[in-house]
Amino acid sequence: MQASRHEWRQARASLYPSLSLSAGLNTTYYHTLHSNTGQPFHAQFSNNMGEYVGATLSIPLFNRLQTTTSIRRAKNNYRIACENYAQKQLELEKLAREAWQDWQGYLKQVEQLEHQVAADSIACQLTCRQFEEGLSTAIDLHATSAQLLKSKATLLQCRLMAMVKGQLLRYYRGEQIWE
């Protein structure tokens, strides 16, 4: 956006007259084929020395259509850059809102899974006690312990995703992620 603003200002500057100064120094050396004698180089160098100074004032009168077109093009490019910037801001806000909602969802899911793990743990303990008493089979014991392990793994995965979304949310807020 700033680059297009500078281009627009540069295009507007072409409406103003410009003044340029120039200066120069020149010399010549020659040797003719018809004469064997000629002036030595240092003598010709100092005798044929020339200097000049010039000033040029350029007033843009006859290129108005080209200048106006370039100004309009630069102004339109600036407007497009402003719109793109606003669009990117909206996308960033949307991503931040989505990250916050995901984070809240994972926190709620972690809370529910903690209750599930507690319930599965009680069920596993009950099945283990029933197995010891001979009221349950090894298959039931294996199924309840597998369910407990699955619940714990899901809880761990949800906690990790909540941490990731929390870090992403901090990133979108502009906070330092790694401490």
Side-chain angles (χ1 to χ4, degrees), residues 1 13-14 64 76 103 105-106 120 124 147 151 155 164 169:
M1 198 167 84
S14 64
R64 299 298 268 183
N76 287 336
W103 181 61
Y106 279 118
D120 287 344
C124 185
Q147 180 62 33
S151 297
L155 175 63
V164 166
L169 192 59

Side-chain angles (χ1 to χ4, degrees), residues 25-29 41-51:
L25 182 67
N26 65 356
T27 185
T28 59
Y29 174 77
F41 176 75
H42 63 82
Q44 283 193 29
F45 188 78
S46 61
N47 290 341
N48 295 334
M49 186 75 66
E51 304 96 12

Side-chain angles (χ1 to χ4, degrees), residues 6-176:
H6 289 304
E7 288 174 7
W8 182 25
R9 288 179 182 166
Q10 183 179 4
R12 285 190 300 183
S14 64
L15 290 173
Y16 301 117
S18 64
L19 177 66
S20 63
L21 299 173
S22 60
L25 182 67
N26 65 356
T27 185
T28 59
Y29 174 77
Y30 65 91
H31 181 74
T32 60
L33 297 175
H34 300 293
S35 73
N36 290 337
T37 61
Q39 291 183 346
F41 176 75
H42 63 82
Q44 283 193 29
F45 188 78
S46 61
N47 290 341
N48 295 334
M49 186 75 66
E51 304 96 12
Y52 64 91
V53 174
T56 305
L57 177 65
S58 173
I59 301 172
L61 293 176
F62 299 110
N63 63 352
R64 299 298 268 183
L65 187 59
Q66 178 185 3
T67 304
T68 350
T69 304
S70 66
I71 290 173
R72 286 180 184 160
R73 184 178 298 122
K75 186 176 180 181
N76 287 336
N77 288 342
Y78 174 69
R79 287 179 181 167
I80 289 170
C82 288
E83 290 296 322
N84 288 340
Y85 179 75
Q87 181 69 27
K88 293 295 181 185
Q89 288 293 101
L90 289 174
E91 288 176 14
L92 185 61
E93 288 175 13
K94 178 186 170 192
L95 288 174
R97 272 194 311 269
E98 287 176 1
W100 185 80
Q101 289 172 350
D102 289 344
W103 181 61
Q104 290 294 318
Y106 279 118
L107 289 179
K108 289 178 183 177
Q109 193 172 359
V110 162
E111 185 180 331
Q112 290 173 354
L113 286 172
E114 285 173 348
H115 294 299
Q116 170 113 20
V117 166
D120 287 344
S121 176
I122 291 171
C124 185
Q125 289 173 359
L126 181 65
T127 307
C128 183
R129 179 75 178 147
Q130 286 176 347
F131 180 73
E132 289 172 358
E133 296 292 326
L135 299 172
S136 181
T137 63
I139 296 173
D140 292 337
L141 180 62
H142 178 65
T144 54
S145 16
Q147 180 62 33
L148 177 62
L149 289 176
K150 183 179 177 186
S151 297
K152 284 183 178 181
T154 307
L155 175 63
L156 182 61
Q157 183 182 10
C158 249
R159 282 184 180 161
L160 289 175
M161 286 305 294
M163 286 194 299
V164 166
K165 291 297 179 175
Q167 292 294 333
L168 184 63
L169 192 59
R170 290 180 65 197
Y171 171 76
Y172 284 138
R173 289 182 185 157
E175 299 173 7
Q176 185 178 0

